[in-house]
Structures are given as structure tokens and as C-alpha cells.
Amino acid sequence: MERRNLLRAAVLGGSAAVFGGTLWRGAAYAAPAQPGPGPYGALGSPDANGIRLPSGFTSRVIARSGQTVSGTSYTWHNAPDGGACYADGSGWIYVSNSEINPSGGASAVKFSSSGSITAAYRILSSTRQNCAGGKTPWNTWLSCEEVSLGYVYETDPWGVNASVQRAAMGRFKHEAAAADPVRQVIYLTEDETNGRFYRFVPTTWGNLSSGTLQVMVAGSGTSGSFTWANVPDPDGSPTATRSQVSGSKSFNGGEGCHYADNTVWFTTKGDNRVWQLNLTSNTYELAYDDSLVNGTAPLTGVDNITGSSSGDLFVAEDGGNMEICLITPDDVVASFLRIDGQSGSEITGPAFSPAGTRLYFSSQRGTSGSSSGGITYEVTGPFRS
């Protein structure tokens, strides 16, 4: 899928408007074209869970930190963060990290074909500040430690096989991971103000026990070509991985990462940007930059990111209005949902069920503003296919 530059899109007062010109190429913005709603329309009033949704969508609470998950004896973890969904026969599983330090880890909720919760359980324990991560094509969950010299842990969403520390994937302040089955690599973001964008090339695809960690090398601009260079010492000691390769490109606070159709998108929270790498041409550009739309777009505090079968990108906010916003293939940026009354929290872990009809995510600190107040939600409705 070829995505045009999204700096031309913004939303005014909850309605989408497309701007003329392409700012990163030096053109000036024109006045906004005729405003109109995003693909799902305007947000409604808060529902019983305090969530504003477009018409036709409903929400329910799946789990709350410190409380047993409905129909199970399992107590849900604090500070729920990155997540993903996995097909499980006619049902599915949603996994969720715990961004606390110490303890951290990850848990899972299992659903029947009708969406009923059938089980909940721990899949990773005794790790530190597990923030985001990523799903592999062989149906494991890569849980990433967002701490200095943090590890990636490969875990089993079914909770049968023991988790494995994947040291070859580098030790740094890990955030998200995204698998590319075409090039047979895993992309990795780093949550530092001068973080880097990496890829891990396994010796054997499907086995992450050994391989080569590489870092993106490019100029200082917001578009251009890029290459990859090997990181000499992936263990990050005594020299941090981000400081080992001359010419490696710095990014301000790497966060979410998503791969689809020979393109990888990732967010940088420090400057409210969404980056886009065309992996066929080895070029990069900005897909979205909050500073260049002068606050007229709804999307701020970019964080976790996922995609739908329609090609829409769903970006969760850490800050802003506690929204999940979408960026469409035709350059529209719009609010998809908003959580009221939880300004001290952030939205984490957006992931679609295998059928694409349910979206899971969490409010990491809920109404209390503390890690023990996390709430995990499900939204059901007529998502575009």
C-alpha cells in the first residue's frame, strides 16, 4: 500500500479537513478544505464506561488492575501496556504487558468464539517495566523491557511454554517490535531522547536465539534514503548501542511500531511524529508531524500504534485528549474514540481481534492516575475492512 504524505491532513473540532501543500517539501499550508467527519463520523456522548465512540460502536470493560478477571480466578496486572491478539481455534487471546518495575511481565485473556472470557493467566514474570512489544508470525509475543540495558523476552500467549530472554536482540531501552516476514527481520524502537531505530536479522527466521542487530543510518532530515549497519556490541556495554555506529539516525523517544505491505511505521513521542519507512525503495519520510499542523489535528502524544485490514493506522495517545486517533490511507487524521475523566492516564496496547471486529486497549492508570488503577477495554462495531 502506497501512503501519501499525511502532513496534509488535520482535524478541526472533531471533523477531518485536508490541507493543500506538502509541508516537509517546503510548500506552505493552504486554508483547510471543507471540513467533514472522519470515516466513522463524530464521537458521541460518553457511554457507561466514559468512552466517546462513533455511532454503532460499543465498549465493555475486560479487566481492572488488582481485580479478578470476570469468570476467572486470575488477578489482572497493574499498569497494562502493549498488547496483541492471537487466533485460538474459533476464539482468540489478547496479551498485555505490565509496565511496572520491578515485577513487570505480561498476562493474557482468552475468549470464546462469541467473545465470552474463558480464562486469564500470567505468561511472563520477574521482568522489569514491560512496555510495548510485538507479535511474531509464529505466534509468540515479544515483550520489551523499557529500562536501561533492557531485554526482549519471547513469550507464549497460551502460557504453556516458558518465556525466553532474547539477548541477541540487543540490550537497550526497548519499546516496540514489529515483524517483517518479507525481509525476515524484526524492527525495534528505543525510548530515549536520542534513541535509534533498529532491526534484528535472525540467523534462522523463526528462531530469535541468534542473529545480527543493525541500526538505521541516515541523514538528519525528515526524509531521504537509509541503510543498515551492524551494531558491534549488542549488549550495550560499556558503550550504549545507540552510540556505537557513526551516522546512525537519532529519534526523539521511539514508541509504537507497525509493519504492513512493505512499509513500517513508528512513532516518536518526544516530537509527536509518525515516521514511515518504504522498505522497497529504502526511503523514509514523515507520515505525521503535530508541530507542522499547529495544533489543529487531534493527535498528540503519539504512542502505541497498530493497523487495521482497511489500511487505517490507529495511534494511541499518551497525553493529548486520551484518544485513539486514526490516520487513513487517503490522508485523513481523525479521532476514533476518547476516554473522559482519565486525564492522568494514557492509552496503551491497541490490537484488533483476528476477525478485525473488536479493538482491545487499556487505560494504563484509569481514573485514579496510579498504576494500580489500570482498565482494559474492548470496543466492538462496524470497523472498515
Side-chain angles (χ1 to χ4, degrees), residues 240-256:
T241 54
R242 63 186 179 277
S243 302
Q244 292 182 23
V245 176
S246 177
S248 61
K249 185 168 178 60
S250 176
F251 293 98
N252 189 354
E255 293 286 343

Side-chain angles (χ1 to χ4, degrees), residues 358-384:
R358 301 169 191 251
L359 175 65
Y360 296 92
F361 60 94
S362 295
S363 170
Q364 189 180 82
R365 297 177 292 278
T367 56
S368 70
S370 71
S371 62
S372 60
I375 309 170
T376 300
Y377 300 96
E378 173 195 84
V379 164
T380 305
F383 288 101
R384 305 198 301 173

Side-chain angles (χ1 to χ4, degrees), residues 2 4 65 69 76 83 98 194 221-222 274 310 320 322 345 347 365:
E2 185 71 20
R4 298 191 302 276
S65 295
V69 178
W76 197 236
S98 175
N194 61 340
T222 55
V274 181
S310 66
M322 279 291 288
S345 186
I347 298 181
R365 297 177 292 278

Side-chain angles (χ1 to χ4, degrees), residues 5 7 22-26 216-227 249-251 266 273-278 281-289 292:
N5 188 283
L7 297 178
T22 309
L23 222 160
W24 67 273
R25 288 178 178 163
M216 179 180 166
V217 175
S220 59
T222 55
S223 65
S225 60
F226 67 88
T227 58
K249 185 168 178 60
S250 176
F251 293 98
F266 63 97
R273 287 172 166 174
V274 181
W275 298 84
Q276 171 182 327
L277 273 60
N278 184 320
S281 63
N282 285 332
T283 57
Y284 71 96
E285 63 182 309
L286 283 173
Y288 174 80
D289 186 345
L292 298 183

